[in-house]
Amino acid sequence: MTHDVSRRAVLKAVFGSAIATPLLASCGALVPASSGPGSISVHTQLSGAVAGAQVFSDVVAAYQRRTGRTVAQLKNGSDLPIVFETSTLAGKQADVAIVNMMGRTLGWTGAGATIPVTDLLDAWDLRDKILPEAVAEWTDDEGRLRAFPFTRTNWPVSFNTGLLEEAGVEIPTTSDELVAVADALRSKGIGPVTVGGSDWSGQKLFLQILQGFLSQEEARTVFSTGRLSESAGAVAGVEHFVELRDAGVFVDDVQGYTSDSELTQFNTRKAAIVPAMSSALALVPNERAKEVTVGGWPMPSEGGVLARPSVIKSYNGHGIWISENGADKLDLIKPFVQDLYSDEVTDAFILGSGRDMNRVTDTVSQDFPLVAQASRLTDDDVMPVMLPDLLIPDSVFEPMIKVTAMAYGSSASAERIVDAFEKSYDAA
């Protein structure tokens, strides 16, 4: 009992006391109901309208029928990390969590809320089945593999060539061409670039635009410290963003859009260009996909560091984490995890939902043509830039999104954006 109390105190200190009080009283509702021999509990973000949710549900159902073992599920979206932490403080967390590696989750293994799976990679015969680049990205500075890398991220830019043809222009590869394309589209009453200026999708594009002027090493420093003003490249990137904004590259009132509304605008032909991750491209109807070409964000015409358009690429998607409770059920978790990395399940996710997977595979999406296009982009076509999520402190994410939403507005100067960006780190 003393150990449990001490452990909980440590976790509370790491997680932050603010999450515990409101939810602990109802923590029983935060735990999937599972009991009896041979059962495990899984807390998953693969639920609701998320790409792959139905596939995951079907996979779990098939596993239960085949093995006779219960896999009880608790489903959450973006709030999964805080719900998991709250249930962990109560000692009632699920055995397995399937969630992205970013923000709060980056500290789970170091805090002891989840166990490192480094040794299990070989013990469970998974090393040769998972892309080595994914293993490297999911390994922390102490050499601990935080979780089994499951899905990954490919974040290209989609161009409606039908709309571009109506405006008499082609796919832009440089910023000067992008401005000219935006002008031509607007003259035809067509929106140029749509993006969720008010949420994480707009934040990602803002940070991608900055990387047009930053080396990978400079980008790591800038995104981990937030000190834009100390990097000439970062300042140039912000100024470039403002130039694009003021030139009308983004749709009107973009600061009010979300990741959902950007896709709706693109799918209804009200905007011609959208930067969206491949899992979102799986939601583009086939009729629209027929007139879409996937590529990268146009490189800066002057002063940049890129030789080709850029695409955000990362092996950071959903991972399969094992909790402290799950550490006592490894014999039951092992076959379930092995099943998730089987050829059949991998194919089901790729073919049935358009997900990009960290499993070594030759399978390419068939019913999701834009996802397939994105997977075929090579370094000869685009230059990959980083997904900064592994570098940005969790407490900075929401304040930063407010800053980038402000940046998409029409009146914010580069100096104001830099100052607000840095203050979001200082305050956090």
Side-chain angles (χ1 to χ4, degrees):
M1 182 65 179
T2 302
H3 171 76
D4 291 342
V5 173
S6 300
R7 185 74 186 136
R8 218 175 282 181
V10 171
L11 291 172
K12 188 173 181 179
V14 173
F15 291 159
S17 58
I19 72 167
T21 304
L23 296 175
L24 277 177
S26 60
C27 223
L30 305 177
V31 185
S34 64
S35 61
S39 67
I40 61 173
S41 55
V42 176
H43 196 171
T44 179
Q45 279 184 324
L46 291 170
S47 62
V50 171
Q54 186 58 53
V55 172
F56 182 72
S57 180
D58 293 343
V59 164
V60 170
Y63 177 82
Q64 292 183 119
R65 288 194 302 269
R66 187 173 64 254
T67 64
R69 294 172 174 172
T70 300
V71 179
Q73 296 183 68
L74 174 64
K75 301 176 180 181
N76 284 108
S78 59
D79 60 341
L80 186 151
I82 198 167
V83 175
F84 178 84
E85 292 177 7
T86 302
S87 57
T88 297
L89 289 171
K92 298 181 179 181
Q93 71 272 33
D95 304 316
V96 173
I98 299 180
V99 60
N100 291 353
M101 176 177 59
M102 61 175 287
R104 307 185 75 94
T105 68
L106 289 171
W108 283 0
T109 304
T114 57
I115 67 169
V117 299
T118 318
D119 295 337
L120 300 181
L121 196 63
D122 291 310
W124 292 3
D125 298 320
L126 295 176
R127 184 176 296 277
D128 292 340
K129 296 182 178 182
I130 301 176
L131 295 168
E133 298 91 343
V135 173
E137 189 164 303
W138 281 75
T139 299
D140 68 15
D141 292 339
E142 302 296 325
R144 298 171 298 206
L145 181 61
R146 295 180 174 95
F148 298 109
F150 195 52
T151 66
R152 58 188 172 94
T153 301
N154 191 11
W155 208 310
V157 180
S158 296
F159 301 88
N160 186 314
T161 53
L163 293 177
L164 295 182
E165 288 173 6
E166 289 181 24
V169 291
E170 297 180 346
I171 293 174
T173 60
T174 68
S175 57
D176 285 348
E177 291 174 0
L178 177 60
V179 171
V181 165
D183 287 342
L185 288 167
R186 285 183 175 277
S187 71
K188 296 292 184 179
I190 303 168
V193 178
T194 181
V195 68
S198 69
D199 68 9
W200 50 268
S201 59
Q203 176 216 41
K204 296 298 183 293
L205 180 59
F206 177 85
L207 299 177
Q208 181 176 1
I209 290 172
L210 263 59
Q211 290 185 72
F213 296 83
L214 296 169
S215 68
Q216 290 284 294
E217 186 170 340
E218 288 173 321
R220 293 184 67 85
T221 299
V222 166
F223 297 141
S224 59
T225 66
R227 308 312 298 173
L228 297 186
S229 62
E230 298 174 9
S231 165
V235 172
V238 176
E239 292 172 344
H240 180 64
F241 171 88
V242 170
E243 290 170 358
L244 294 177
R245 182 201 66 195
D246 292 349
V249 161
F250 305 114
V251 296
D252 294 342
D253 302 317
V254 67
Q255 68 271 24
Y257 279 86
T258 67
S259 58
D260 290 333
S261 53
E262 72 171 12
L263 201 60
T264 298
Q265 196 175 37
F266 184 74
N267 287 345
T268 55
R269 299 184 98 240
K270 293 180 180 178
I273 304 169
V274 63
M277 67 175 69
S278 54
S279 58
L281 298 184
L283 304 176
V284 176
N286 286 335
E287 178 184 3
R288 190 65 55 243
K290 291 177 182 177
E291 57 182 359
V292 173
T293 296
V294 177
W297 182 258
M299 60 186 175
S301 295
E302 296 181 3
V305 299
L306 302 177
R308 291 178 296 283
S310 65
V311 167
I312 295 177
K313 288 190 175 183
S314 173
Y315 300 94
N316 176 19
H318 298 97
I320 304 170
W321 310 67
I322 299 177
S323 73
E324 269 196 312
N325 286 345
D328 295 327
K329 295 184 178 181
L330 294 183
D331 59 327
L332 299 175
I333 295 173
K334 174 182 177 180
F336 177 68
V337 172
Q338 288 176 323
D339 186 66
L340 292 180
Y341 284 98
S342 66
D343 291 336
E344 294 77 13
V345 170
T346 300
D347 288 353
F349 271 96
I350 294 173
L351 300 177
S353 71
R355 274 286 182 184
D356 290 306
M357 307 300 289
N358 280 317
R359 171 72 156 83
V360 175
T361 180
D362 293 325
T363 302
V364 177
S365 176
Q366 298 173 2
D367 294 333
F368 304 95
L370 300 187
V371 178
Q373 275 195 55
S375 69
R376 287 193 290 264
L377 290 173
T378 69
D379 289 348
D380 292 330
D381 305 312
V382 295
M383 292 191 71
V385 295
M386 73 169 66
L387 179 70
D389 291 2
L390 300 185
L391 301 170
I392 300 171
D394 173 66
S395 54
V396 173
F397 269 93
E398 289 304 320
M400 183 193 292
I401 287 174
K402 292 179 181 179
V403 173
T404 54
M406 176 267 292
Y408 281 102
S410 60
S411 62
S413 66
E415 293 78 9
R416 182 184 171 195
I417 295 169
V418 169
D419 181 62
F421 191 97
E422 295 185 341
K423 285 179 177 176
S424 72
Y425 277 74
D426 295 340

